Amino acid sequence: GRRTMPQFLLEGIQVDFPYDAYECQKEYMRRVIQALNNGSNALLESPTGTGKTLCILCACLAWRKHKLERRPVTEQQDDRYLIVYSSRTHSQLKQVVHELRKTSYGAKGAVLGSREQFCMHPKISTLRGAAQNNACRKACAGNRCSHYRAVKQVNGTHKEEIAGACMDIEELVQDAEQRNACQYFLQKDIAQNLADICFLPYNYLVDSQTRRSLSLPLENSIIIFDEAHNIEGVCGDAASHEIHSTQIASALRDLDTCIRAIQDHRVDVEDGERVIQEFVTLKALLLQIEEKLTKLCPSHSTGVTKPGPFIFELFGHINVTSETVPMFIGVIDKA
């Protein structure tokens, strides 16, 4: 069994802590529990070396255990009070996972990472970014990835075993090699359905598209931003997007390839003439965007700064609005 740990009664909740806690650590945990009891936000700071990570883990796990044990029968039973622990990088999260192992709560954990970190497919793993994501989706949809298929063979007992081991991302990659099952999908499944605590980088929460794709039960969850002074930059990145002239040029070449393929009957497309016309319209749109950006920021220019609403004006001039965007996205998906 697990070794007996020192226990402290803080705000009416018994907290197990691996060591005899200093007064500053008790106060830190007390403030965490106060915030959880009140359902409020908390901005917590403590000097380096005072065990902040262990304090916040033990306080949250103790509060969660207390809440679940005293949950009324009438309360929704699928409320897990998931702890979502986010930090800037996976190397920082690795340290947190190791701290979790020191606790007595036997928490089941999941670590969410990217395809780049987890992919095992011999070809898809060599790709990066959108190319990798798209190739993965196609392979999974066509049932052409043995590692994705293997995820479905991992039964509940093995998932419990993986979650209970509280592995960091490097250990999960090694475990995946033994099971031949993709941890990208396995960890998402564990996070959605089984985990008590989930580790992930900031941007997975801050970026709305990524957050939705995770399907995490964030309602009534405990969300922790570690090293929160980095959040402002991450939020700025999530709300920003870069468009390079090389990307537009590449998209134009791709459209020309698609149009020729339909004209030469190399691909079977229903109502080919209409699709070609849609691609021609999209090509004209991209050329207009390229022209507008070139005028706005000539090659010899060091750049230009505009207020936020300017981007809507820029795209509005070429009829890209909230009403027309769905149509353009539909055409892009066809391409």
Side-chain angles (χ1 to χ4, degrees), residues 211-326:
R211 186 173 65 246
R212 284 193 298 269
S213 73
L214 296 175
S215 300
L216 288 177
L218 296 179
E219 188 78 22
N220 290 326
S221 290
I222 303 163
I223 299 178
I224 301 164
F225 289 99
D226 194 7
E227 303 286 339
H229 56 271
N230 295 303
I231 281 290
E232 184 179 2
V234 174
C235 290
D237 291 342
S240 305
H241 191 75
E242 292 184 354
I243 302 175
H244 297 278
S245 57
T246 52
Q247 292 173 312
I248 297 175
S250 176
L252 288 167
R253 286 195 298 274
D254 287 346
L255 278 170
D256 283 335
T257 302
C258 290
I259 291 168
R260 285 197 299 272
I262 296 171
Q263 289 173 333
D264 298 343
H265 304 289
R266 284 184 279 123
V267 289
D268 186 21
V269 177
E270 188 178 338
D271 200 356
E273 287 302 318
R274 182 178 58 81
V275 174
I276 287 174
Q277 191 54 51
E278 288 177 345
F279 286 175
V280 168
T281 302
L282 184 58
K283 182 179 175 181
L285 177 72
L286 288 171
L287 287 168
Q288 287 183 70
I289 292 174
E290 188 176 46
E291 182 186 354
K292 293 279 185 187
L293 291 177
T294 302
K295 286 181 179 177
L296 181 67
C297 194
S299 57
H300 59 273
S301 164
T302 55
V304 63
T305 302
K306 297 281 187 180
F310 173 77
I311 192 69
F312 298 110
E313 297 172 19
L314 177 70
F315 283 109
H317 288 316
I318 53 177
N319 197 32
V320 178
T321 64
S322 57
E323 288 81 21
T324 61
V325 158

Side-chain angles (χ1 to χ4, degrees), residues 85-116:
Y85 198 113
S86 69
S87 194
R88 192 165 61 89
T89 64
H90 271 290
S91 61
Q92 290 172 328
L93 288 172
K94 178 179 178 179
Q95 297 168 13
V96 182
V97 172
H98 291 184
E99 290 290 280
L100 178 64
R101 293 174 188 168
K102 298 176 183 176
T103 67
S104 66
Y105 292 94
K108 296 187 287 290
V111 179
L112 296 178
S114 64
R115 287 178 172 88
E116 185 175 332

Side-chain angles (χ1 to χ4, degrees), residues 2 61 93-94 96-103 105-111 159-169 171-172 187 196-197 199:
R2 296 179 181 274
L61 288 165
L93 288 172
K94 178 179 178 179
V96 182
V97 172
H98 291 184
E99 290 290 280
L100 178 64
R101 293 174 188 168
K102 298 176 183 176
T103 67
Y105 292 94
K108 296 187 287 290
V111 179
K159 286 178 187 175
E160 291 267 1
E161 178 187 309
I162 295 166
C166 287
M167 291 180 271
D168 62 41
I169 197 160
E171 292 164 337
L172 286 169
Q187 289 299 304
D196 304 320
I197 183 167
F199 300 97

